RNA sequence: GGGCGGUUAGCUCAGCUGGCUAGAGCGCCUGCCUUACAAGCAGGAGGUCGCAGGUUCGAGCCCUGCACCGCCCACCA
C-alpha cells in the first residue's frame, strides 16, 4: 500500500519509475479481457491493425495505439463491455526478408536449406521476436485484450483463410491466369498493384531504327532496349497521318530477325518520340493489353531471376538485365541502328517491399475478381453503415472502389498461407482438405498477406464458427488506421466482412494523421529522420507521448512536435503535484463527495461538468487533439491556477467540507484524464482515500447537473478577471512583488469574493476615504489605489494613456458599426445586442480610468 | 494528367454552420525560491491570417483567379 511519506518526498513525477509497475498491475487485473456476453451493439470493440509479428513500435503505431486506447478506455469507463482485439500479422514478405537476411549472414540461403527448414526458421524467428511489439504496446499503456491474442497463423485463423479462398473459388471470383504482373526481383515474387510505388529515375531514351520489308524504316524510342528482343509488333496511332502508309507493313526486328507487323492502336501517342512504338507484350503492361487486342504473341526474354532467358538468344541468355541492355545497345550501335539517345527523367515502378525496380512479366498467377464484392462495399459507405472520417477520405475510397481491378493474390514466398490448391496433370483441386488419391501436388504459392488481413475483424473472433465472441463483438465499432492502407486493407475488410461475416466489419473508420519528422520530411529509418517512440517514452513517459501525439493529431499530416510531448509531461507532473497538495492537505477521514460551501466550490464543480461534457463530445467526434488540449486547459487553467489557489487558506485551516469536495474533484479529474494519461492518474488513484480497485476499471457516473450554479460561476469569472487586471497593473507599474497595495474597492459583484481578490492580487482593501493616487478598472467598477503603495507613477500614467487609446479606438469601431443602419437592420439581433453591450462595458472602463 | 489537403505569432498548430479587441503550447522579455510543482508562478511583447479580385451590414472562414508546399491515384514508350 502506498505510503504518505512517498507523497511527501516525491516532488516530481517520475514516469520511468511508475509506469512499468502500473502495466504489471493492469495486466494482472484481467480488466482488459472481457467475457463474451451481450450483443455487439451494446458492447464496444476495436480490432487493432495487427502489427508485423517481428516488427517494433514506430511512431505510427504509437499514435494509433494512443487513439485506440483513448476510445477503449473511455468506453470502458462509461460502462460498456469493451474489447480491444489484439494480435499480430505474419507479414509475409517482411518477415521472409528478415529471415532470409539472417540466413545469408550465416552463409546459406533459403534455397539451400529448403522450404520446410525455412518455415521452421521463420517460426523460430517469430518465437524470438514476436513478443517485442506486444511488450511495446503494453509499455504504451494500450489496454488491449492480451489474454486473447491472435496471430494470422493460428490454427483457427488458417481455417478461416482456407474457407474464404475455397468459397470465393467456388463462386468463380478466384481464378488462375497467365497475365502480366508486377514482378519484384527483390522478393522474387509477384506483388499487387498496391504494393508498387512510382519513383523518378534518370534514364536514357534510345531511338532505334528497325528496317521495313520492301525498304524504309521505322524508329522506335525506348528506355529499355533489352526488351526489344521480345518485340512482336510496331504500332502507330490510327489517326497519325504521318504514318498511315506504315500500317500493314512489316518491320524486321534487328539482332533477332523476327518479322513484326505494323499495327494501328489508339494507345500510341502522336506527340511522343517518333509516334512509332515498339510493342513488347511480354514485358510491358500497356503492350500486353495492346497485344491482347491484336492477338500478338508474347515472347519472354527476362526470367524471374532477373536474367535474360534462352529466348533472348544465346548471345544474351543468362545476362542480368542491365548487362544485357549494354550488350544490346553495343550490338545495335555496331549496326548503326541507334539513331539518337537523350537523357530522360520519368516515373518508374519500384517494389514497396524490397525497394527494387519492378520487372513486369507474364506469369501464371492466381487472381481475384473484385467487382461483385466491391458493389455492396460501396453501398455500405454510401448509405452510412460505414462512416469514414475525415470526410475527404470517403470520396477517395469510393473512387478507388468504383474503378477496382483484379487483385493478384498469389505470392511466390514460403512464409504465408499456402494456397489450398492441388494439381495432378491437367486436373486442379481446390478444397479445405487435401484431395483423395495419389499423385496430387500442392501449389507452392502462398496468399498475399493482405488476403488474410482482410478477414481480421471476424477471423479473430472465431469465424467461421458461430462463437459467443462473434456475437458479442462483431461488428466492431471503430477501425483506426493510417491512410496508406485504406485500399490495401480497409476496403478489403469491408468487402470480406459483408461477404462472409454478413455485416460491415466496423461502423466508423478513422483515418489518422501521418506523423512527419520535425522538418517535414517522412519519418524513416533510412533517411535518419525516424524518432523512436520508445526512446520518447523512456525520457518523457508514456503519458507524455500519448498526450503529445493526440494533441498533435489532426485531419491532416503533422510534424512531430517535441513541445507537445513536453506539454504532456508537464501535465502529468502538474496533476501529480496538485494531487500531492490535495492528498497531503485534506482531513484523514474525508471521503470524496461534493460539498460546495463557497462560490469557488460551485464554480469549479460547474467547470468540471463542462470539461467532462466536452471531453465526451470530442472523443465521440474523433477530435483527439481538442480532447487532449481541453483536458490540459481544465487541469492547468481552472483547477490549478485558480481553484486550488483560491482554497489554499481553507485547506490549511482544515475544512472538512472542503476536504470532501477536493477529493471528489480529484477523483473525477482522474477519471476524466485517465483515457489520455492513464499512468499518472492510476498512480495517484492508489493514494486516493476511498478509491477501490484500479482506476482503469472504474465506472464514471453521469455528471450531477444540480451542482451547477450559474451565478457563482459568473462571480468567480469576475473575480478572475479582476485579479488578472490588478496583477497586470502592478507588474507594469513596477510594484515590488512582495508589496501589498492599499486600495479601496469601488465595484459591484464582489460581495463573496473581495477577500480573495485582495489576497490573490496582494491588495489591501480599506474603507478609507482618502484621495486615490491611481485607478485600475475591474469588471463592475474600479479599484482606487491609495497613497502608501510604492509604484512608478510615470509607468502608471503611460499605462493609463495606452489603455485609454485602446478603449477609445475600440469604442469608435463599435459605434461606427452601430451607426451603420444596414448593420443594425440586417445583422442578427444578438450580434447587435452584443455590440451595444460591448460599448457599454468599454465606456464603463473608460470612465473608471 | 486527375483528385484531395495545406499556406494564421520566431517555431509547431487551433480557429466548428461568416459575428466580442484572431487563440494555444514552445521560444523570447520582465519580476518572483509565495509552506503542491523553479521542468514552477505572475506579468508582457509579438500577427496587413500566401497574393489579387469578388460576395456581404460584416470575411482568417464563402466565391473566382494566381503562386508556392504536401499527399493520393493514373498505362506516354
Amino acid at each position: 500500500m502506498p505510503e504518505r511519506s512517498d507523497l511527501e518526498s516525491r516532488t516530481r513525477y517520475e514516469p520511468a519509475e511508475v509506469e512499468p509497475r502500473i502495466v504489471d498491475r493492469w495486466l494482472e487485473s484481467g480488466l482488459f479481457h472481457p467475457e463474451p456476453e451481450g450483443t455487439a451493439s451494446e458492447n464496444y470493440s476495436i480490432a487493432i491493425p495487427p502489427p508485423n509479428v517481428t516488427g517494433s513500435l514506430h511512431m505510427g503505431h504509437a499514435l494509433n495505439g494512443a487513439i485506440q486506447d483513448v476510445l477503449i478506455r473511455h468506453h470502458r469507463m462509461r460502462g460498456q463491455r469493451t474489447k480491444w482485439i489484439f494480435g499480430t500479422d505474419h507479414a509475409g514478405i517482411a518477415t521472409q526478408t528478415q529471415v532470409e537476411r539472417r540466413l545469408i549472414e550465416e552463409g546459406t540461403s533459403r534455397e539451400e536449406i529448403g522450404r520446410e527448414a525455412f518455415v521452421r526458421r521463420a517460426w523460430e524467428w517469430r518465437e524470438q521476436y514476436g513478443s517485442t511489439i506486444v511488450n511495446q504496446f503494453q509499455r504504451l499503456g494500450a489496454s488491449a485484450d492480451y489474454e486473447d491474442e491472435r496471430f494470422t497463423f493460428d490454427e483457427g485463423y488458417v481455417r478461416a483463410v482456407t474457407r474464404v479462398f475455397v468459397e470465393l473459388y467456388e463462386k468463380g471470383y478466384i481464378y488462375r491466369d497467365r497475365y502480366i504482373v508486377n514482378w519484384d526481383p527483390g522478393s522474387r515474387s509477384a506483388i499487387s498493384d498496391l504494393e508498387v510505388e512510382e519513383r523518378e529515375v534518370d534514364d536514357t531514351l534510345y531511338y532505334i531504327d528497325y528496317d521495313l520489308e520492301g525498304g524504309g524504316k521505322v524508329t522506335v524510342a525506348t528506355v529499355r532496349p533489352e526488351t526489344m528482343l521480345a518485340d512482336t509488333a510496331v504500332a502507330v496511332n490510327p489517326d497519325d497521318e504521318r504514318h498511315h502508309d506504315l500500317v500493314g507493313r512489316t518491320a524486321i526486328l534487328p539482332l533477332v530477325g523476327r518479322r513484326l507487323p505494323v499495327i494501328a492502336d489508339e494507345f500510341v501517342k502522336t506527340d511522343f518520340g517518333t509516334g512509332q512504338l515498339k510493342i513488347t507484350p511480354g514485358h510491358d503492361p500497356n503492350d500486353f493489353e495492346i497485344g491482347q487486342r491484336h492477338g500478338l504473341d508474347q515472347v519472354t526474354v527476362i526470367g524471374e531471376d532477373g536474367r535474360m532467358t534462352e529466348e533472348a538468344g544465346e548471345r544474351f541468355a543468362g545476362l542480368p538485365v542491365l548487362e544485357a541492355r549494354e550488350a544490346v545497345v553495343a550490338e545495335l550501335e555496331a549496326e548503326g541502328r541507334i539513331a539518337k539517345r537523350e537523357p530522360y527523367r520519368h516515373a518508374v515502378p519500384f517494389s514497396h517491399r524490397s525497394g527494387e525496380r519492378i520487372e513486369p512479366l507474364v506469369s501464371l498467377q492466381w487472381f481475384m475478381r473484385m467487382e461483385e464484392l466491391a458493389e455492396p462495399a460501396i453501398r455500405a459507405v454510401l448509405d452510412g453503415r460505414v462512416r469514414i472520417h475525415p470526410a475527404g477520405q470517403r470520396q477517395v475510397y469510393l473512387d478507388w472502389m468504383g474503378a477496382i481491378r483484379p487483385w493478384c493474390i498469389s505470392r511466390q514466398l514460403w512464409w504465408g498461407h499456402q494456397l489450398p490448391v492441388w494439381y495432378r496433370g491437367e486436373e486442379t483441386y481446390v478444397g479445405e482438405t487435401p484431395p483423395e488419391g495419389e499423385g496430387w501436388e500442392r501449389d507452392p504459392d502462398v496468399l498475399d498477406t493482405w488476403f488474410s488481413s482482410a478477414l481480421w475483424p471476424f477471423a479473430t473472433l472465431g469465424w467461421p464458427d458461430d462463437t459467443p465472441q462473434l456475437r458479442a463483438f462483431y461488428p466492431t465499432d471503430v477501425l483506426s488506421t493510417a491512410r496508406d492502407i485504406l485500399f490495401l486493407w480497409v476496403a478489403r475488410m469491408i468487402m470480406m466482412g459483408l461477404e462472409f461475416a454478413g455485416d460491415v466489419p466496423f461502423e466508423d473508420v478513422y483515418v489518422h494523421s501521418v506523423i512527419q519528422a520535425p522538418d517535414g520530411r517522412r519519418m524513416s529509418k533510412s533517411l535518419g529522420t525516424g524518432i523512436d517512440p520508445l526512446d520518447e517514452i523512456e525520457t518523457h513517459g508514456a503519458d507524455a507521448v500519448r498526450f503529445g501525439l493526440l494533441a498533435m493529431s489532426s485531419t491532416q499530416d503533422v510534424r512531430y512536435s517535441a513541445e507537445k510531448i513536453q506539454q504532456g509531461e508537464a501535465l502529468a507532473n502538474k496533476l501529480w503535484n496538485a494531487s500531492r497538495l490535495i492528498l497531503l492537505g485534506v482531513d484523514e477521514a474525508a471521503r470524496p463527495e461534493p460539498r460546495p460551501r463557497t462560490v469557488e466550490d460551485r464554480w469549479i464543480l460547474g467547470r468540471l461538468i463542462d470539461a467532462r461534457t466536452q471531453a465526451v463530445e470530442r472523443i465521440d467526434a474523433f477530435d483527439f487533439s481538442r480532447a487532449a488540449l481541453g483536458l490540459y486547459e481544465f487541469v492547468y487553467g481552472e483547477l490549478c491556477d485558480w481553484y486550488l489557489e483560491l482554497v489554499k487558506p481553507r485547506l490549511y485551516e482544515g475544512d472538512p467540507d472542503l476536504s470532501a469536495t477536493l477529493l471528489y474533484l480529484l477523483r473525477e479529474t482522474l477519471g476524466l484524464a485517465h483515457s489520455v494519461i492513464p499512468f499518472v492518474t492510476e498512480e495517484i488513484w492508489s493514494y486516493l482515500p476511498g478509491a477501490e480497485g484500479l482506476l482503469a476499471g472504474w465506472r464514471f457516473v453521469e455528471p450531477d447537473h444540480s451542482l451547477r450554479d450559474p451565478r457563482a460561476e459568473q462571480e468567480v469569472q469576475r473575480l478572475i478577471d479582476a485579479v488578472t487586471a490588478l496583477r497586470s497593473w502592478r507588474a507594469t507599474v513596477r510594484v515590488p512583488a512582495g508589496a501589498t497595495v492599499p486600495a479601496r474597492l469601488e465595484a459591484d459583484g464582489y460581495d463573496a469574493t473581495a477577500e480573495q481578490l485582495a489576497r490573490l492580487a496582494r491588495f489591501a482593501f480599506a474603507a478609507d476615504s482618502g484621495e486615490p493616487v491611481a485607478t485600475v478598472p475591474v469588471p463592475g467598477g474600479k479599484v482606487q489605489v491609495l497613497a502608501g503603495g510604492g509604484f512608478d507613477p510615470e509607468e502608471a500614467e503611460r499605462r493609463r494613456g495606452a489603455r485609454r487609446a485602446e478603449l477609445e479606438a475600440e469604442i469608435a469601431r463599435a459605434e461606427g458599426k452601430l451607426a451603420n443602419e444596414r448593420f443594425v437592420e440586417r445583422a442578427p439581433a444578438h450580434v447587435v445586442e452584443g455590440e451595444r453591450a460591448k460599448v457599454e462595458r468599454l465606456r464603463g472602463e473608460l470612465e473608471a480610468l
Side-chain angles (χ1 to χ4, degrees), chain A residues 251-277:
Chain A
I252 305 296
L253 184 61
L255 311 186
V256 177
R258 189 183 306 127
R259 301 176 74 242
L260 310 175
V262 180
I263 59 172
D265 194 281
E266 299 281 350
F267 172 78
V268 184
K269 303 289 179 288
T270 54
D271 57 357
F272 187 91
T274 58
Q276 299 163 347
L277 177 63

Side-chain angles (χ1 to χ4, degrees), chain A residues 90 128 131 171 239 269 297 328 335 360 427 506 580 627 719 770 777:
Chain A
H90 66 280
Q128 197 175 348
S131 60
K171 285 179 179 159
D239 298 326
K269 303 289 179 288
D297 291 339
V328 166
E335 290 188 20
E427 292 175 88
F506 29 74
R580 287 177 61 232
L719 167 67

Side-chain angles (χ1 to χ4, degrees), chain A residues 98 168 205 295 582 658 760 844:
Chain A
Q98 287 182 20
L168 288 170
L205 187 62
I582 294 171
L658 177 68
L760 293 178

